[in-house]
Amino acid sequence: MSSPTRSGDAAAAGSSQPALERKIGPLQATAINMTQMCGIGPFVTIPAMVATMGGPQAMFGWIIGAIVALADGLIWAELGAAMPGAGGTYLYLREAFQYRTGRLMPFLFVWSAVLFIPLIMSTGIIGLVQYLGYLVPGVTDDAGTTPLGKIIGIVITLIIVVALFRRIGQIGKLTTGLFVIMLIAVLATIIAAFSHFSGSQAFAFTPGAFSSAGDGTFWGGLGAGLIIAIYDYLGYNTTAYLGGEVANPGRTIPRSIIYSIVGIMSLYFLLQVGVLGSIPLDQLKSATSVASSVLEQSWGVGAAKVLTVFILVAAIGSVFAGLLGGSRVPYEAARDKVFLTMFGKLHPKLNLPTAGVLTMGAITIIGSLFTLTDVINAAVATLVIIQSLAQVAAIVVLRRRQPNLKRPYRQWLYPVPTIIALVGWVYIYVSATWLSIWLSLGWIAVGVVAYLIYAKAENTWPFGDKEIKEAFATDRVEGAQA
């Protein structure tokens, strides 16, 4: 076993190279998570959720999705508080799987994250363009996004990438402002919906929907519905990706994760029920800008257009926060020489990972050219197999392998949430389209080949010795204590 090495801030202290700055406080951390979680997601997926689950029973899909998200969030909370550094999952898999498979698992995660994170962000651009169609004729048509709409989506993505080139302290303040705009958009839509609310319409569950026999629409559509729900909840882990820039991470990361999941779950449920009670079911299933329709019905066209602008800004904020966190994922891997070295270099003045921002921005642009459903399925399937399930194993392995790891936060009722997360993620994965499943497996298979080429060049496992560090178990990053 090699001698332990220090990670994160401590390493930076002895170097003249630029270092990440711990400037994100509790309020900004929660705002970053919630801004990334909400964005355009529920505004474009509520009709799909209702259609998939066959009616108003879709409201329970959001609750089940929240249970899975909260169980998974408690895994992130423990791991993020114990190992606060840039890249989140990369660090957790590096520490947990180094004993048996060397650097394979963290390499595969970064390999996959560079794909699935910007793909998820591209869905925000797709949804943004859909709502822009309410304001600008010619951006969308009956077939979907027009060439003009795709061009606009590309331009907006480029603007977001440019906006990311600033210091993290400035970004934290900007994200808090975007969070406020997101809240205004969501709460305004909820209030508008309940001002023309019909309880009999909202709770008119399809006859036999909850039957376990036959083709009960709820159980038959639950798998596909959970893919939509979990897609809308994704983002509660953004502060874990930014662990190297969070102040007092032992307290801030767990609280930001838990607060954001509970807060967004409440907003989503109210939004779903309100929309169900204000728009007829047949009209809702085919709506492309459902929030704008709700606002127009309640307050008129003028108010609907103003608040649609707020929704567009919320969508931009979500993509902004997602690319902010995602761009940090390959940074730590590159510093460990597990990924391309260009991803480990920081901007000399702004202290941000330039290659990560530009690469994920480019993949977001490519993903925005496809359909929303296809991108959601592909992104979620890839995420589940190499991140979510791997972290379920990681928390178990680390509790056994590194009992001396300082854990400012320990998962409540362990291992119950871990088991719930495992069952939920397996069910979500097998519910994805076969094309998405095969594509995710194919991408990982190519990643294994890429890793073997890398391992041969670096003379590391399986072609050389494993390097066991246990960096966080022996040294703590300053400020990580609760």
Side-chain angles (χ1 to χ4, degrees), residues 232-424:
D232 282 328
Y233 283 116
L234 290 176
Y236 52 83
N237 52 5
T238 304
T239 47
Y241 286 150
L242 295 165
E245 295 159 277
V246 174
N248 194 15
R251 291 173 61 87
T252 301
I253 291 177
R255 293 184 179 190
S256 67
I257 290 171
I258 295 167
Y259 293 164
S260 60
I261 292 173
V262 173
I264 289 293
M265 176 195 70
S266 303
L267 291 175
Y268 281 1
F269 186 76
L270 288 173
L271 186 62
Q272 176 72 88
V273 173
V275 168
L276 284 167
S278 61
I279 296 182
L281 190 61
D282 292 340
Q283 180 182 341
L284 175 58
K285 289 180 179 180
S286 59
T288 56
S289 52
V290 62
S292 299
S293 299
V294 169
L295 293 162
E296 180 178 332
Q297 173 183 275
S298 300
W299 298 332
V301 175
K305 288 185 175 181
V306 170
L307 287 166
T308 297
V309 172
F310 277 62
I311 292 172
L312 296 177
V313 174
I316 291 172
S318 176
V319 177
F320 180 89
L323 291 179
L324 169 67
S327 65
R328 271 64 175 172
V329 170
Y331 168 73
E332 192 71 26
R335 293 182 70 203
D336 284 347
K337 297 183 179 179
V338 178
F339 209 61
L340 299 176
T341 56
M342 68 177 184
F343 286 96
K345 297 178 180 178
L346 294 178
H347 190 284
K349 294 183 179 180
L350 303 177
N351 296 339
L352 59 86
T354 306
V357 173
L358 294 177
T359 300
M360 292 199 174
I363 297 175
T364 299
I365 288 174
I366 295 171
S368 70
L369 304 178
F370 294 88
T371 65
L372 183 67
T373 303
D374 289 343
V375 177
I376 288 176
N377 271 272
V380 170
T382 307
L383 173 149
V384 167
I385 195 169
I386 198 61
Q387 179 180 71
S388 303
L389 293 177
Q391 284 194 177
V392 168
I395 191 173
V396 176
V397 170
L398 286 169
R399 284 213 173 197
R400 181 171 61 89
R401 288 277 195 173
Q402 296 188 18
N404 59 327
L405 177 65
K406 294 181 181 179
R407 294 172 171 86
Y409 167 82
R410 298 179 69 90
Q411 186 185 91
W412 299 332
L413 303 176
Y414 177 85
V416 175
T418 299
I419 294 171
I420 293 173
L422 173 63
V423 173

